[in-house]
């Protein structure tokens, strides 16, 4: 199976036939017609004969599966590209191994003004200790180095980089013998990213988008902001995505209040949303909790419970109050933009819910619900906050790979919270039962771009009661991402929808069920439910053969 990529591909009429087309329009479809960048028809092999003479090209699928392209609803594109092309420490199994990788990177990049790396996770290392300034100074030979923890909410840096940030030792979150967090981390990150040249940045963005396309991802939601990546990074990414064939990029700009909303509109963002931090992350002890961390003693953080001010303490970090959230949502309503917040801990999620509800009392519940405001991550939920999400029309933009990586009785969640609290995290089934819209993503480079792995992680959640069906998880990673940006007409292969699709080599198609009956499936065609690949743990994941966006191929696997 092959198709030549040309600039005119998106305007041609193409018939795909001889495969399996995953479409609610026809659960038994084997063929599809694409015309002018949209799906024109789906149906049976026999009916496809009527179209064969009137199209520009016929593609024989040779039994392959066609699905809507995936949408990754939370990505940091440049950071993903830098991790793909640079120093990735996510595979380091110990501190010593990480330091060896750093030393090799230093030798390989003699001209970099600042050395960048990502992905270390001391919680998985023997001894559980991150590298010290002295160790980094020794392996770098005194060069500036910035290394983010896997959750990107803390980092370690060499002395030479710290010296480039005046006053950093007096900033909140500076710790002489521990990773940087909060304001200190943001300042050091800004200094490190300022050293990335425009060419390095463009190369990283292209690498990330090419990689996404090779995995069947047709759209990514870029979560940017002044403390994350900067305006130049954001605008250059949107420009590149508009000029070059590849996945669609929907940009969110996380800046607070009326000024932030105005800046988001000026920069071309879809909303003043994304990683507008209400708190940090569990792995860095900066997620904002109602009760203290199990591995840090007890005590209250300033602002704990969603009603106080910003602070840092035994319950984590709080960056925005409920009043701040309300003011931001109100400003977004006045501007006609979507709002959104990063909230992981239960206190942070409560602050978001309280703030959005206060805004709804001011501008009207209907306006709030219509805007489909987003909450990124939303890991520590209670029955009350889940009900509030449904009431307020909030979209939960979540990352199932977090549970696969950090869940379980002995995982990082259990280390930070204790096993009982850890079991409550990422309750996808309860969210769906309540009617809360889900949009799946990776938070790459926190976890890799891996759409089928993400669907598997949700269907085989480490806590059985939180599992959802493969079909529901697939929908959250395709149509869910489009709905999260206000589009109900996309992410599904039906006539009139954008022709964003992927072609897969895979095995038998199944209808898999969640919970303790996860081994139960039906291949009975009388069920009328379109099948999906077997995602049981250990089964081979589908291989992407082609990704098409707006009718234009953006990836074709070589020799296929």
């Amino acid at each position: 199976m092959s198709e030549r990529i040309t600039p005119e591909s998106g305007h041609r009429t193409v018939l795909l036939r001889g495969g399996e087309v995953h479409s609610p329009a026809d659960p038994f479809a084997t063929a599809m017609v694409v015309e002018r960048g949209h799906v024109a028809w789906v149906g049976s092999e026999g009916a496809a004969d009527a179209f064969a003479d009137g199209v520009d090209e016929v593609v024989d699928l040779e039994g392959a599966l066609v699905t809507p392209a995936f949408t990754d609803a939370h990505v940091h594109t440049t950071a993903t590209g830098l991790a793909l092309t640079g120093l990735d420490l996510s595979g380091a199994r110990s501190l010593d191994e990480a330091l060896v990788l750093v030393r090799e990177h230093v030798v390989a990049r003699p001209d970099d003004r600042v050395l960048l790396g990502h992905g270390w996770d001391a919680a998985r290392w023997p001894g559980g200790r991150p590298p010290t300034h002295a160790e980094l100074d020794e392996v770098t030979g005194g060069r500036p180095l910035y290394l983010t923890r896997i959750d990107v909410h803390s980092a370690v840096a060499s002395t030479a980089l710290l010296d480039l940030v005046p006053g950093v030792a007096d900033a909140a979150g500076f710790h002489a013998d521990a990773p940087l967090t909060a304001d200190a981390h943001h300042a050091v990150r800004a200094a490190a990213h300022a050293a990335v040249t425009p060419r390095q940045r463009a190369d990283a963005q292209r690498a990330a988008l090419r990689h996404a396309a090779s995995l069947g991802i047709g759209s990514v939601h870029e979560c940017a902001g002044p403390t994350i990546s900067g305006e130049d990074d954001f605008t250059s990414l949107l420009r590149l995505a508009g000029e070059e064939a590849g996945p669609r990029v929907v940009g969110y700009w996380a800046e607070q209040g009326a000024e932030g909303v105005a800046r988001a509109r000026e920069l071309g963002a879809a909303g003043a949303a994304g990683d507008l931090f209400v708190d940090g992350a569990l792995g860095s002890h900066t997620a904002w909790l109602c009760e203290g961390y199990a591995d840090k003693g007890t005590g209250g953080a300033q602002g704990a419970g969603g009603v106080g001010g910003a602070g840092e303490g035994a319950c984590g970090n709080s960056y925005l109050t409920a009043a701040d959230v309300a003011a931001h949502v109100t400003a977004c309503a006045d501007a006609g933009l979507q709002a959104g917040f990063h909230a992981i801990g239960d206190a942070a999620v409560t602050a978001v819910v309280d703030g959005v509800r206060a805004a709804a009392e001011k501008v009207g519940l209907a306006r709030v619900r219509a805007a489909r405001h987003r909450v990124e991550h939303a890991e520590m939920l209670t029955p009350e906050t889940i009900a509030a999400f449904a009431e307020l029309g909030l979209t939960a933009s979540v990352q199932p790979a977090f549970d696969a990586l950090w869940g379980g009785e002995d995982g990082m969640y259990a280390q930070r919270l204790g096993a009982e609290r850890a079991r409550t995290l990422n309750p996808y089934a309860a969210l769906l039962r309540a009617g809360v819209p889900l949009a799946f993503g990776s938070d790459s480079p926190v976890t890799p771009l891996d759409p089928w792995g993400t669907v598997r992680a949700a269907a085989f959640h480490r806590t059985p009661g939180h599992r959802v069906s493969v079909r529901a998880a697939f929908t959250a990673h395709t149509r869910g991402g489009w709905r999260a940006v206000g589009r109900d007409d996309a992410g599904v292969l039906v006539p009139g929808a954008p022709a964003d699709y992927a072609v897969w080599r895979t095995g038998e198609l199944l209808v898999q069920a969640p919970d303790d009956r996860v081994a139960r499936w039906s291949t009975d065609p009388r069920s009328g439910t379109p099948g999906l690949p077997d995602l049981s743990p250990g089964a081979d994941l589908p291989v992407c053969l082609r990704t098409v966006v707006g009718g234009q191929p953006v990836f074709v696997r070589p020799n296929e």
Side-chain angles (χ1 to χ4, degrees):
M1 179 174 57
S2 64
E3 180 175 337
R4 186 167 60 91
I5 301 177
T6 68
E8 297 78 24
S9 297
H11 302 291
R12 305 171 71 218
T13 301
V14 178
L15 168 64
L16 299 93
R17 65 185 305 178
E20 302 279 351
V21 179
H22 185 88
S23 171
D26 183 347
F28 312 112
T30 63
M32 179 171 75
V33 173
V34 173
E35 185 174 23
R36 295 188 178 276
H38 288 76
V39 177
W41 172 84
V42 294
S44 68
E45 195 63 28
D49 290 337
F51 295 95
D53 293 335
V55 299
D56 297 307
E57 182 175 6
V58 177
V59 176
D60 183 357
L61 294 169
E62 300 175 9
L65 170 68
V66 181
T67 71
F70 286 101
T71 293
D72 193 309
H74 194 119
V75 172
H76 303 283
T77 307
T78 303
T80 297
L82 291 171
L84 287 169
T85 60
L87 176 56
D88 182 359
L89 297 177
S90 60
R93 294 165 294 183
S94 67
L95 173 58
D96 288 343
E97 189 172 319
L99 292 173
V100 168
L101 292 172
V102 172
R103 192 186 299 274
E104 292 173 351
H105 186 70
V106 170
V107 173
R109 306 295 283 264
D111 299 324
D112 288 7
R113 288 183 288 172
V114 173
L115 298 156
L116 303 173
H118 167 73
W120 61 267
D121 186 0
R124 305 172 72 185
W125 292 345
R129 179 178 70 79
T132 64
H133 297 313
E135 288 167 332
L136 296 180
D137 293 345
E138 192 275 325
V139 295
T140 60
R143 294 174 63 188
L145 170 71
Y146 172 70
L147 297 178
T148 47
R149 190 187 181 277
I150 191 169
D151 60 14
V152 200
H153 283 269
S154 60
V156 292
S158 66
T159 302
L161 179 57
L162 297 177
D163 288 344
L164 298 177
V165 187
V168 68
D170 298 321
F174 181 85
H175 310 285
D177 296 315
L180 304 162
T181 61
D183 293 345
H185 177 216
H186 296 161
V188 172
R189 174 165 55 194
H193 286 177
V196 176
T197 67
R199 180 171 180 176
Q200 281 179 299
R201 184 170 59 214
D203 288 346
Q205 291 168 350
R206 287 190 183 94
L209 294 176
R210 281 197 302 265
H211 184 57
S214 76
L215 298 170
I217 296 171
S219 300
V220 299
H221 297 179
E222 166 69 13
C223 292
T227 63
I228 302 165
S229 54
E231 292 183 16
D232 289 345
D233 184 274
F234 185 65
T235 56
S236 67
L237 173 63
L238 295 184
R239 185 167 55 251
L240 184 147
E243 295 172 351
E244 301 182 8
R248 304 176 193 264
V249 176
V250 177
Y252 285 102
W253 182 256
E255 190 168 354
Q256 183 188 355
E259 290 185 3
V261 171
R263 183 59 52 83
R265 183 182 292 283
E266 177 186 334
L267 296 175
D275 274 332
L276 184 53
F277 297 119
V278 179
D279 67 345
L282 290 164
S284 292
H285 292 100
T286 54
W288 183 13
L289 312 182
C290 292
E291 299 178 23
Y293 284 86
D295 57 351
K296 288 198 74 169
T298 60
Q302 222 180 349
V307 295
E312 178 177 349
C315 287
N317 293 13
S318 59
Y319 303 129
L320 297 178
T321 66
D324 295 327
V325 170
H328 186 72
V329 173
T330 301
C332 285
D334 292 341
L337 278 183
Q338 190 178 28
F341 304 90
H342 163 119
I344 287 179
D346 48 1
V349 174
T350 299
V352 170
V353 164
D354 290 348
V356 175
R357 183 176 284 121
E361 292 172 358
K362 183 174 182 179
V363 306
L365 179 61
R367 286 180 71 189
V368 166
R369 288 181 57 87
R372 305 185 187 187
H373 301 308
R374 297 170 55 140
V375 184
E376 308 299 321
H377 315 308
E379 294 197 71
M380 294 186 70
L381 294 155
T382 64
E384 292 75 20
T385 51
I386 290 173
F389 272 45
E391 171 199 353
L392 299 167
L394 299 176
T395 295
S397 171
V398 296
Q399 296 75 41
F402 287 5
D403 174 74
L405 183 60
W406 297 317
E409 296 297 302
D410 300 318
M412 183 272 289
Y413 289 153
Q415 294 175 27
R416 295 291 185 264
L417 303 173
E420 184 176 352
R421 273 199 293 174
R423 291 188 202 104
T424 69
L425 266 60
N426 303 303
Y428 304 137
L431 285 163
L432 284 180
R433 284 195 300 269
V436 177
L438 297 184
F440 282 179
S442 62
D443 199 9
S444 180
V446 175
T447 61
L449 299 170
D450 180 15
W452 285 114
T454 295
V455 173
R456 172 186 279 171
F460 293 88
H461 197 295
R462 289 177 179 270
T463 303
H466 298 332
R467 293 173 180 169
V468 298
S469 70
V470 168
R471 183 183 181 190
F474 178 78
T475 299
H477 214 349
T478 50
R479 198 169 192 180
W482 284 93
R483 286 172 167 169
V485 297
R487 292 280 301 272
D488 293 328
D489 62 333
V492 61
L493 299 181
V494 297
D500 290 20
Y501 62 91
V503 180
W504 306 92
R505 181 170 62 237
T506 188
E508 183 182 12
L509 303 183
L510 311 170
V511 179
Q512 288 178 285
D515 64 50
D516 59 347
R517 296 161 296 168
V518 76
R520 182 193 71 187
W521 51 67
S522 170
T523 56
D524 186 343
R526 292 172 297 179
S527 68
T529 301
L532 286 166
D534 179 9
L535 300 183
S536 301
D540 291 336
L541 294 177
V543 174
C544 184
L545 304 178
R546 182 187 317 164
T547 304
V548 175
V549 175
Q552 181 174 353
V554 298
F555 168 77
V556 174
R557 182 167 294 279
N559 303 318
E560 293 286 351

